[in-house]
Amino acid sequence: MLVWDFFKSHGFKRFMILIGIGVALYLMRSMLDLILFTFIITYLMNRLSTKLTSTIRKYVPIKEAVITIIIYLLFVAGVVGTVYKYLPMVSQQITQLFNLMMNININPNENEITKYLAPTFEKIELDHYLEQGVNFIVENIANIGKLLLQILIAAILSLFIMLDKHRIMEFTMKFKKSKIAPLYDELQYFSKVFIRSFGKVIEAQFIIASVNCVLSVIVLYFMGFPHLIALGVMIFVLGLIPVAGVIISLIPLSIIAYSIGGFMYIIYILVIVTVLHAIEAYFLNPKLMSAKTDLPIFYTFMVILFSEHFLGVWGLIIGIPLFMFLLDVLDVTSSKQKKLE
C-alpha cells in the first residue's frame, strides 16, 4: 500500500515528467546546440531589451519592439563583422601563441626553482601536447561556418519569440484548461524554475567572463603580452567555465609570461589572476548570483567533470547552471539562503 501511495504521489509524477523531459532532449540531441543558443540569446536579449526600454522610456516614449529589433540587428551585424574581420587575425595569433609556447626554453641557471622545473618540463613533452592543441583549434576554426550559421538561425528564432512573446504566452495559457492541464502545470513549474536558476547563472557567467576578459587584456597590455586579441578570446571562453576556467587559463598565461619576462612574470600573472578571482568571488558573484549558487569547490569540479563527459564542451559552460536548476527543483538551499529566508 505504501509503495502504491508513493507511485501515486505528486513528487513521483513530477520526477517522471522531469525524466521525460531529459529523454526528449536526448532524442533531440542533434538539435541541442540550436536549442541552447536560442534559449541563451533569447534570455539575454529579453533582459537587455527590458532594461533598455524602461530606461529610454523615462526620456522618450518608444515601443519595446523597436528596441528589440535594433538590438538584434546590432547583434547580428556584430557577430558577422567580428568573424569577417577578426577571424583570420585570431586564428593567426592563436597559431603564433602556440608556436611561442612550443619554443619555450627554461633556463635551469636562472634561479633555484627553475633548476628543478627544467627537467620536469623536458619529461612532459610540452611541444607534443601543444601541437595537438593547435590541430584541435584549427579543426574547430574550420567549422566556424557551421557554428556561425547555428548562431544566426538561433538569433532569428529568438527574434520571432521576442516580437511575438505576448501572443505566445496567451496561446500557451490555453493549455491550462485543456485535457493535458496537469502536464501543463508541471511543465510551467519546470520552465519557471529553469528560467529563474539556469538563466540567472548563465547571465552571471557571461557578465563575469566579459569583465574578467576586459580587465585581463588591459593588464596584459601594460605587461607587454603579444597577440592580445587571441588571448582575450581565450580568457573570455575559459571565463564561462566556473572556477576551472581560471585554473586552465593559468597554464598558457604562465608559459607566455615566462617566455617574455622570466620567472618573475609568472609571479606577476599569479598575483593578477588571484586579484581578478577575488574580484569575481567577493564582488561580482554576490552581486550577480543568488546565495543558492554558493557551491563548494569540490561540487563545482565534480559537476564540471561529469557534465563535460556527457555533454562535451557545452557541459563545461552549462553544467553548473543545470546543477543549480536541479537544486532549485529539489528545493536545496544553502545556509546563506536559509538565513535570508
Side-chain angles (χ1 to χ4, degrees), residues 202-338:
I202 281 288
E203 179 188 7
Q205 285 182 195
F206 270 86
I207 295 174
I208 289 170
S210 301
V211 172
N212 280 346
C213 175
V214 172
L215 294 178
S216 298
V217 169
I218 292 172
V219 174
L220 295 178
Y221 169 78
F222 285 107
M223 290 182 65
F225 271 61
H227 316 308
L228 291 175
I229 296 177
L231 285 174
V233 171
M234 180 197 74
I235 292 170
F236 175 77
V237 173
L238 292 176
L240 295 174
I241 307 172
V243 182
V246 176
I247 298 172
I248 297 171
S249 66
L250 268 177
I251 298 172
L253 287 177
S254 298
I255 294 172
I256 298 167
Y258 182 83
S259 67
I260 64 174
F263 186 74
M264 282 305 300
Y265 262 50
I266 296 180
I267 302 297
Y268 296 153
I269 284 295
L270 291 174
V271 172
I272 291 165
V273 170
T274 302
V275 171
L276 290 176
H277 185 63
I279 293 173
E280 174 187 335
Y282 296 105
F283 179 73
L284 294 177
N285 270 337
K287 293 288 183 181
L288 299 173
M289 295 192 185
S290 66
K292 286 188 178 183
T293 60
D294 185 28
L295 281 180
I297 294 179
F298 170 77
Y299 275 90
T300 301
F301 275 106
M302 291 303 294
V303 170
I304 289 173
L305 286 173
F306 279 95
S307 58
E308 191 279 332
H309 176 75
F310 290 105
L311 298 174
V313 178
W314 268 115
L316 296 173
I317 298 173
I318 68 170
I320 295 297
L322 279 177
F323 187 66
M324 302 317 302
F325 164 68
L326 291 175
L327 290 183
D328 222 345
V329 169
L330 297 172
D331 199 23
V332 177
T333 57
S334 68
S335 56
K336 291 182 182 179
Q337 184 72 13
K338 289 178 180 178

Side-chain angles (χ1 to χ4, degrees), residues 36-49:
L36 288 171
F37 277 132
T38 303
F39 173 80
I40 292 172
I41 292 173
T42 304
Y43 180 84
L44 295 178
M45 288 298 190
N46 183 58
R47 296 275 293 177
L48 180 61
S49 175

Side-chain angles (χ1 to χ4, degrees), residues 41-318:
I41 292 173
T42 304
Y43 180 84
L44 295 178
M45 288 298 190
N46 183 58
R47 296 275 293 177
L48 180 61
S49 175
T50 303
K51 289 182 179 180
L52 281 178
T53 303
S54 61
T55 302
I56 294 174
R57 278 179 176 171
K58 294 178 181 178
Y59 310 98
V60 180
I62 190 170
K63 291 184 177 180
E64 186 177 355
V66 176
I67 299 293
T68 300
I69 292 172
I70 294 173
I71 291 172
Y72 274 87
L73 287 175
L74 291 175
F75 172 73
V76 172
V79 170
V80 175
T82 301
V83 170
Y84 177 76
K85 184 176 181 180
Y86 291 107
L87 181 62
M89 188 186 304
V90 170
S91 59
Q92 181 183 9
Q93 288 193 9
I94 288 174
T95 304
Q96 291 172 349
L97 276 177
F98 274 94
N99 289 333
L100 178 65
M101 290 186 284
M102 287 171 68
N103 295 325
I104 187 174
N105 184 23
I106 295 181
N107 181 12
N109 298 320
E110 183 177 346
N111 53 50
E112 288 296 321
I113 296 176
T114 55
K115 181 179 179 180
Y116 292 101
L117 285 178
T120 304
F121 268 78
E122 291 176 1
K123 294 178 182 178
I124 291 175
E125 297 181 353
L126 189 62
D127 55 342
H128 173 69
Y129 293 107
L130 291 174
E131 186 177 351
Q132 289 181 339
V134 171
N135 294 333
F136 175 78
I137 290 173
V138 170
E139 289 173 2
N140 281 274
I141 288 175
N143 295 324
I144 194 70
K146 181 181 178 182
L147 180 66
L148 178 61
L149 180 62
Q150 286 184 329
I151 292 175
L152 292 178
I153 293 173
I156 293 171
L157 292 173
S158 176
L159 176 61
F160 289 152
I161 293 171
M162 287 288 294
L163 293 178
D164 214 22
K165 62 182 180 181
H166 296 296
R167 288 186 61 193
I168 292 173
M169 291 173 65
E170 289 176 2
F171 181 80
T172 307
M173 284 293 292
K174 294 179 181 179
F175 289 96
K176 190 173 182 66
K177 297 180 180 179
S178 67
K179 293 181 180 180
I180 59 168
L183 177 62
Y184 170 83
D185 291 336
E186 296 303 322
L187 291 177
Q188 183 185 43
Y189 165 78
F190 284 125
S191 62
K192 285 182 178 180
V193 175
F194 187 78
I195 292 171
R196 185 177 66 225
S197 55
F198 183 94
K200 188 178 183 65
V201 178
I202 281 288
E203 179 188 7
Q205 285 182 195
F206 270 86
I207 295 174
I208 289 170
S210 301
V211 172
N212 280 346
C213 175
V214 172
L215 294 178
S216 298
V217 169
I218 292 172
V219 174
L220 295 178
Y221 169 78
F222 285 107
M223 290 182 65
F225 271 61
H227 316 308
L228 291 175
I229 296 177
L231 285 174
V233 171
M234 180 197 74
I235 292 170
F236 175 77
V237 173
L238 292 176
L240 295 174
I241 307 172
V243 182
V246 176
I247 298 172
I248 297 171
S249 66
L250 268 177
I251 298 172
L253 287 177
S254 298
I255 294 172
I256 298 167
Y258 182 83
S259 67
I260 64 174
F263 186 74
M264 282 305 300
Y265 262 50
I266 296 180
I267 302 297
Y268 296 153
I269 284 295
L270 291 174
V271 172
I272 291 165
V273 170
T274 302
V275 171
L276 290 176
H277 185 63
I279 293 173
E280 174 187 335
Y282 296 105
F283 179 73
L284 294 177
N285 270 337
K287 293 288 183 181
L288 299 173
M289 295 192 185
S290 66
K292 286 188 178 183
T293 60
D294 185 28
L295 281 180
I297 294 179
F298 170 77
Y299 275 90
T300 301
F301 275 106
M302 291 303 294
V303 170
I304 289 173
L305 286 173
F306 279 95
S307 58
E308 191 279 332
H309 176 75
F310 290 105
L311 298 174
V313 178
W314 268 115
L316 296 173
I317 298 173
I318 68 170

